[in-house]
Amino acid sequence: MSTVAQPTITADELLRMPDGDRFELVDGELVERKMGSLAGWISNRIGSRFEHFAEEHGGVAFGEGGWFRCFHDDSERVRRPDAAFIRPGRLPGDAIPSGYITVPPDVAVEVISPTDVYYEVEAKVEEYLDAGVPLVWLINPDNRSVRVFRAGQPVVQLRATDELTGEDVLPGFRCPVAELFPPQPAAKPKAP
């Protein structure tokens, strides 16, 4: 029995695809990004927090629109974090490129969606860390938590009562974890 090799595409071909914004590129294969409504809302929420921070401190904030091609082990890999931040002075010429960003972000954020397979999200976190991203946040809408990843350090889990900070990567960035999620509906009173 023979197998037929799947055709691979390049990062440049992905950039030219009319619907390319729906995909990431891993090992020459398109990986469709499907984001649920809640995950999209959370992504916008953290992206707007980054934007506000950038207005006050400099840097560049991205919602889910940042295309990163910064992976040493695969020059064709393209990832699109749900939100990202790059400190001032890190982009060549301090200009946002029209195509891919070739420097790793300082913070990459992934929001778990209903269609995500958890081990694939964890692998993506490892890719970011291996590429030199100093701080990765993995936001879980189901349990209203954020897992904070740093290379060579233990994972920190934050709950809704905690505060998310930029640590030494984005000094001064602070956000209560609860503010990343929509308000929870009030509990119905029990019948007497």
Side-chain angles (χ1 to χ4, degrees), residues 139-147 157-160 181 184:
I139 301 176
N140 186 336
D142 288 341
N143 65 9
R144 301 171 67 89
S145 71
V146 179
R147 293 179 74 201
Q157 178 128 348
L158 302 175
R159 300 284 181 198
F181 304 101
Q184 290 184 310

Side-chain angles (χ1 to χ4, degrees), residues 23-61:
F23 299 96
E24 292 179 321
L25 184 61
V26 179
D27 298 328
E29 295 183 17
L30 296 174
V31 177
E32 188 170 7
R33 292 181 37 94
K34 295 179 184 178
M35 183 178 279
S37 297
L38 177 58
W41 187 90
I42 293 168
S43 172
N44 287 338
R45 190 87 166 164
I46 191 68
S48 70
R49 296 293 194 276
F50 281 162
E51 184 64 35
H52 180 72
F53 186 81
E55 288 171 2
E56 290 185 5
H57 302 276
V60 182

Side-chain angles (χ1 to χ4, degrees), residues 13 16 21-22 37 42 63 66 70 89 119 121 132-133 162 165 171 173 191:
E13 290 170 326
R16 290 189 303 266
D21 61 340
R22 295 182 19 232
S37 297
I42 293 168
C70 58
Y119 73 86
V121 176
V133 178
D162 295 320
T165 70
F173 180 90

Side-chain angles (χ1 to χ4, degrees), residues 121-131 149:
V121 176
E122 290 262 335
K124 191 185 292 191
V125 168
E126 287 302 316
E127 289 175 16
Y128 291 137
L129 294 173
D130 290 345
F149 295 83

Side-chain angles (χ1 to χ4, degrees), residues 70-169:
C70 58
F71 302 93
H72 310 295
D73 63 335
D74 182 355
S75 63
E76 292 293 308
R77 182 178 300 139
V78 176
R79 289 294 193 183
R80 299 185 63 219
D82 295 325
F85 193 92
I86 299 176
R87 291 182 290 193
R90 294 206 48 245
L91 287 171
D94 278 335
I96 300 170
S98 59
Y100 297 118
I101 300 164
T102 57
V103 299
D106 294 290
V107 181
V109 180
E110 290 292 335
V111 182
I112 298 173
S113 293
T115 58
D116 283 336
V117 177
Y118 199 78
Y119 73 86
E120 291 174 352
V121 176
E122 290 262 335
K124 191 185 292 191
V125 168
E126 287 302 316
E127 289 175 16
Y128 291 137
L129 294 173
D130 290 345
V133 178
L135 195 57
V136 180
W137 297 336
L138 181 57
I139 301 176
N140 186 336
D142 288 341
N143 65 9
R144 301 171 67 89
S145 71
V146 179
R147 293 179 74 201
V148 178
F149 295 83
R150 292 192 75 145
Q153 296 185 18
V155 176
V156 175
Q157 178 128 348
L158 302 175
R159 300 284 181 198
T161 55
D162 295 320
E163 184 174 58
L164 182 61
T165 70
E167 302 177 27
D168 62 336
V169 177

